Amino acid sequence: MLRSPWDYSRRRDEFVAWAATVPALANPAATVAWNTDKRYLAELAAAGVPVVPTTWLSPGDPVELPADGEWVIKPAVSAGSVDTGRYNLTDPSHRALALSHVARLVEAGRVTMLQPYLPAVDTYGETALLYLGGRYSHAIRKGPMLDGPDLGVEGLYKEEAITPRTPTDAERAVADAVLAAVPGGADHLLYARVDLIPGPDGSPLLVELELTEPSLFLGYADGAADRLATAITGTLGR
């Protein structure tokens, strides 16, 4: 069971190749390979899942940024909000920093993501729904993390402000739809985390689906650790 290889994004090809050699890895190596490149979001969107609108820039593509508004720029292979920044493209200085950020990623041969910043994260926050053994277990709220351009991160991830949360019926429905759209189905997943933020109309949008090495926040819900242990023993039984 993978738990905290949060530096995998720096050597993803090597990490995915290693995962394929681990017998009975949970979640399976094929899922790890699919989930460690955020272009899976495009597949889920094509399957009808409500996903944050995303523009993908591959090395060699022309770089055309929107004329205004707040936007998030990050690489398709990343973890812990590293190499991720928030930019007000109406501000000339931010626009210059955004172009520099994209250029830095492109020069490194990385696919870049451009997404609108969802202002609801500043007030309502982000809802992360945790599933263990294919069943909903608990949820937490994450506070806002992106306060401006990417200036680098000390360590492997940005610190998070976490509190328990009871998800809405709409969030539960979207999370269930996300897992139903996972290639091969959700039955083979030992654990999953679905991260949602309200869109402009208040409806939940998928930000990320964490199937590789997510924090499971077991300390924020009574019985969560026991539910994980039960799910693990069930997997061993199969």
Side-chain angles (χ1 to χ4, degrees):
M1 179 179 175
L2 296 173
R3 289 311 311 128
S4 56
W6 291 325
D7 61 345
Y8 78 81
S9 59
R10 302 171 186 173
R11 299 185 294 167
R12 176 182 175 266
D13 290 346
E14 182 182 349
F15 175 64
V16 168
W18 168 82
T21 70
V22 180
L25 182 65
N27 293 332
T31 298
V32 169
W34 179 76
N35 187 240
T36 48
D37 186 325
K38 292 181 178 60
R39 281 177 286 187
Y40 68 77
L41 290 172
E43 295 184 37
L44 294 178
V49 172
V51 174
V52 177
T54 305
T55 299
W56 307 90
L57 296 173
S58 297
D61 290 346
V63 178
E64 297 181 1
L65 298 180
D68 53 23
E70 285 200 288
W71 296 80
V72 174
I73 292 174
K74 59 184 175 182
V77 177
S78 65
S81 296
V82 176
D83 296 319
T84 300
R86 168 184 173 183
Y87 300 89
N88 179 359
L89 295 182
T90 308
D91 182 331
S93 63
H94 268 228
R95 191 173 194 85
L97 289 171
L99 288 168
S100 177
H101 188 169
V102 173
R104 186 169 70 250
L105 296 176
V106 167
E107 287 171 6
R110 305 173 77 179
V111 174
T112 302
M113 304 168 60
L114 181 66
Q115 298 175 320
Y117 186 78
L118 301 178
V121 74
D122 292 329
T123 52
Y124 182 78
E126 181 176 331
T127 301
L129 295 91
L130 287 303
Y131 288 72
L132 303 174
R135 297 182 179 182
Y136 170 75
S137 170
H138 58 287
I140 57 93
R141 175 192 183 273
K142 288 197 235 178
M145 296 176 61
L146 299 180
D147 54 7
D150 175 36
L151 300 177
V153 175
E154 291 186 7
L156 296 174
Y157 56 88
K158 288 187 177 181
E159 295 292 337
E160 301 171 322
I162 307 298
T163 53
R165 164 165 279 175
T166 300
T168 65
D169 290 343
E171 288 169 335
R172 284 288 304 273
V174 169
D176 289 344
V178 168
L179 293 183
V182 172
D187 291 343
H188 68 287
L189 301 176
L190 173 62
Y191 52 87
R193 197 183 84 207
V194 184
D195 295 342
L196 306 175
I197 298 176
D201 66 353
S203 300
L205 296 177
L206 177 67
V207 182
E208 287 194 25
L209 170 60
E210 301 274 10
L211 304 179
T212 302
E213 34 55 84
S215 297
L216 298 177
F217 304 112
L218 301 177
Y220 291 86
D222 290 342
D226 290 334
R227 289 190 288 276
L228 176 60
T230 299
I232 291 172
T233 56
T235 297
L236 294 175
R238 291 195 296 272

